[in-house]
Amino acid sequence: MEILEGKSVFGGFAHGHVLCLRHDRPAVADDRCADDGEAVVEAGRFHRACDEVVDTLHALMTKGGSDEEVAILEAQSLMVRDPEFTRLVEDLILKEHHNAAHAVECAAHRFIATLSSIDSPVTRENISDIQDIASRIISVLTKEDFIMALPDEASIIIADTVLPSELLAWDSRQVAALCLDGGGQASHVSILARALGIPCVIGLGDASHRAHSGQWAALDAFEGRLYLDPDDGIVSKVGSLMEEHRAEKKEMEEDAVLPAITLDGVRVELECNIEGLDFVDMALRNGAEGVGLFRTEFLLMRDHVYSEDEQVAVYLAAARAFRGRGPVTIRTYDMGGDKVVKDLTRKEENPVLGWRAVRFCMDRKDIFRTQLRAVLRASAQEKVRLMFPMVSGCDELDDVLLFFESVKEGCRKEGIAFDEHMEVGTMIEVPSAAVISDILARKVDFFSVGTNDLTQYTIAVDRGNEKTAGLYKEYHPAMLRLLDMTARNAASAGIGLAMCGEMAGDPLALPLVLGLGYRTLSMNPASLLEARHLIRHINMADCQALAKKALDMQSCRDMERLLEGFHAEIGNN
Ligand code: PEP
Ligand code: MG
């Protein structure tokens, strides 16, 4: 048994078969050869692919590098020619008519399965070498990138990384848990994993190299612990923790109909963040009182760019689902950063500081106009609100609002009905916007604070980078001042105030957020149950006292102690 430690992104338990995904390794379809003749051609392709891989490895060797690197490349080029491996692949092609790429994949799995039974560091290295050479041969044979199709049985996915678009393309029921080598707490994959309720651990180092598909694993995602080839004791421990967790969740689900009211009678609105209609069911089940953030850019990451009519249909469907509960806040496209949209965004040196969100939209007014028209048309029939992301200052907000006015004018001229009083807000997720929130508050109906980006930009820590994950603190004293300032400015201007970053659903930070004056919290649907439970067990007066103390804290360490102390006390009461 091997134990790997990482950071918990979303708690839960799982045990089952591993599906290993590495982005340097393409997945392969099992299309069979039609007859013996085709199989012979496939075998020829396999041999030529091996030649090409050996040539590449030799070219890499002559490029130089450390003795160690050269030795690895040399060993790998010998492995490509390994007679046993070659014979197995040939048999799979010639006798069983597998296509060449799939035969390589199967042969690699068989070799790895045999080696896995021997527990030694050398064997582990051999396994990752086999994975590497198989990937190289398969890439030559397939010449394409594509999203891995998951097996029907729910698997524990262990991957170097996963793209948000990949996670969206999978059926979440097939993902028992997600374990990533890297990743950040506030990266969009982490956010999606939470939103989908998938137990998830990040920062597991070289887990995707150590593990292999088909292996058995167990996961305690609360503790961030992954067990490869777990012994019986661990499997039964994880199994019973899983049962306990299921029972607790069921109990909290029964409370989903109860309002979020603190012990001293203060009502808190609990809304949800959604990335598409597939997230609505869970949000409703968990008692969401509206949508505080609809991340519409995820519509762009699906199969095509949604037309105006298609967008109207999606926005109306979401709004109808929440009719009688609360409005749906449609955030205009926030692509860029780690939200790559094929054919629209481009590679940039500094993507998070680059062509994102309203910056993109104001350059691509054709796309922006279509979205704004769709929101306006939806507003004629259901309660929706509009929100702009990544606004950094007055000029940007003025330009965006002016463009929005021109789109409205266009609709009026065309006789298109819309709600003239639809609320329009801006996110506060760039420090400059928080600092001048007194000015911005005069221009919009509400603020929604995006703590994911606000943290990243305030303390200069990439939200998705595992190397700096330990520095990413939403409750940094500088953040607290910005949150406090924004809340005060919203209150003075008499506009709405919400928080929709992950901090809103973080049980440790939640009492502090309430104490700072935030009464509308929007979070991923999976966090709603615990948030409601917590709110119903605390006093607002205590939260306010906590916030007062927190604003005097100098360091993150002190802050952490303060918040943990508060949390422990709730647990004791
Ligand atoms: C945020 O930045 O906090 C936010 C809610 O937006 P996103 O996570 O989509 O960037
Ligand atoms: Mg953001």
Side-chain angles (χ1 to χ4, degrees), residues 186-188 191 273 275 293 295 297-298 331 334 336 338-339 356 387 389-390 427-430 448-457 463 472 499-503 522:
S187 70
H188 284 97
I191 290 173
N273 300 345
E275 285 74 29
L293 168 64
R295 290 185 167 100
E297 59 281 1
F298 282 85
R331 178 177 75 177
D334 178 25
D338 65 340
K339 286 179 281 195
R356 285 190 65 176
M387 178 162 81
M390 287 293 296
M427 288 193 70
I428 300 290
E429 53 180 346
V430 180
S448 185
V449 180
T451 52
N452 308 333
D453 277 312
L454 191 61
T455 307
Q456 138 166 293
Y457 295 128
R463 62 193 267 189
Y472 185 89
M499 179 180 284
C500 64
E502 292 295 289
M503 189 176 188
S522 189

Side-chain angles (χ1 to χ4, degrees), residues 368-529:
F368 199 20
R369 182 180 297 106
T370 304
Q371 183 172 38
L372 293 174
R373 282 170 61 96
V375 177
L376 283 167
R377 282 174 55 194
S379 76
Q381 296 183 51
E382 294 292 336
K383 182 110 177 83
V384 296
R385 314 197 302 169
L386 180 69
M387 178 162 81
F388 300 114
M390 287 293 296
V391 167
S392 60
C394 222
D395 308 83
E396 220 164 23
L397 185 58
D398 285 344
D399 291 349
V400 166
L401 290 173
L402 199 65
F403 181 64
F404 180 50
E405 280 308 317
S406 75
V407 176
K408 283 200 306 203
E409 194 46 40
C411 287
R412 282 187 202 108
K413 281 196 183 126
E414 285 178 50
I416 294 173
F418 63 87
D419 176 6
E420 291 278 356
H421 305 290
M422 176 176 67
E423 286 182 42
V424 177
T426 182
M427 288 193 70
I428 300 290
E429 53 180 346
V430 180
S432 53
V435 172
I436 59 160
S437 50
D438 55 330
I439 304 169
L440 301 183
R442 292 178 215 139
K443 299 170 186 285
V444 287
D445 301 311
F446 66 92
F447 283 160
S448 185
V449 180
T451 52
N452 308 333
D453 277 312
L454 191 61
T455 307
Q456 138 166 293
Y457 295 128
T458 301
I459 58 175
V461 176
D462 181 347
R463 62 193 267 189
N465 184 340
E466 77 276 13
K467 294 272 189 306
T468 53
L471 298 171
Y472 185 89
K473 308 275 188 204
E474 301 154 323
Y475 41 78
H476 187 291
M479 273 291 288
L480 250 58
R481 291 182 190 200
L482 293 179
L483 295 178
D484 182 46
M485 189 189 287
T486 304
R488 285 176 191 282
N489 287 331
S492 307
I495 65 165
L497 173 72
M499 179 180 284
C500 64
E502 292 295 289
M503 189 176 188
D506 174 355
L508 195 66
L510 195 144
L512 174 61
V513 170
L514 294 178
L516 287 168
Y518 293 78
R519 297 286 176 272
T520 302
L521 307 180
S522 189
M523 59 194 68
N524 68 70
S527 298
L528 286 164
L529 296 176

Side-chain angles (χ1 to χ4, degrees), residues 31 95 122 159 187 216 264 308 448 473 475:
D31 299 328
K95 293 185 184 157
V122 177
S187 70
W216 194 261
D264 46 355
E308 187 177 313
S448 185
K473 308 275 188 204
Y475 41 78

Side-chain angles (χ1 to χ4, degrees), residues 255-443:
D255 288 351
V257 288
L258 301 175
I261 299 183
T262 59
L263 293 172
D264 46 355
V266 180
R267 180 76 164 90
V268 179
E269 295 285 329
L270 287 184
E271 299 182 335
C272 65
N273 300 345
I274 60 169
E275 285 74 29
L277 294 178
D278 353 6
F279 297 82
V280 167
D281 273 356
M282 192 207 276
L284 291 173
R285 239 188 359 262
N286 291 356
E289 298 173 86
V291 176
L293 168 64
F294 187 158
R295 290 185 167 100
T296 58
E297 59 281 1
F298 282 85
L299 298 178
L300 295 175
M301 283 184 225
R302 292 173 191 243
D303 39 5
H304 66 288
V305 176
Y306 278 48
S307 68
E308 187 177 313
D309 285 349
E310 284 172 312
Q311 287 185 59
V312 174
V314 171
Y315 303 152
L316 281 178
R320 282 185 189 126
F322 283 89
R323 193 189 280 165
R325 292 200 185 208
V328 168
T329 310
I330 301 168
R331 178 177 75 177
T332 58
Y333 295 137
D334 178 25
M335 67 281 276
D338 65 340
K339 286 179 281 195
V340 179
V341 180
K342 231 171 128 220
D343 303 331
L344 284 183
T345 51
R346 38 171 206 193
K347 249 190 155 44
E348 293 178 286
E349 286 268 324
N350 259 319
V352 290
L353 300 180
W355 202 42
R356 285 190 65 176
V358 285
R359 300 170 188 179
F360 172 97
C361 286
M362 289 301 279
D363 282 345
R364 287 296 308 266
K365 292 206 177 75
D366 51 332
I367 294 173
F368 199 20
R369 182 180 297 106
T370 304
Q371 183 172 38
L372 293 174
R373 282 170 61 96
V375 177
L376 283 167
R377 282 174 55 194
S379 76
Q381 296 183 51
E382 294 292 336
K383 182 110 177 83
V384 296
R385 314 197 302 169
L386 180 69
M387 178 162 81
F388 300 114
M390 287 293 296
V391 167
S392 60
C394 222
D395 308 83
E396 220 164 23
L397 185 58
D398 285 344
D399 291 349
V400 166
L401 290 173
L402 199 65
F403 181 64
F404 180 50
E405 280 308 317
S406 75
V407 176
K408 283 200 306 203
E409 194 46 40
C411 287
R412 282 187 202 108
K413 281 196 183 126
E414 285 178 50
I416 294 173
F418 63 87
D419 176 6
E420 291 278 356
H421 305 290
M422 176 176 67
E423 286 182 42
V424 177
T426 182
M427 288 193 70
I428 300 290
E429 53 180 346
V430 180
S432 53
V435 172
I436 59 160
S437 50
D438 55 330
I439 304 169
L440 301 183
R442 292 178 215 139
K443 299 170 186 285

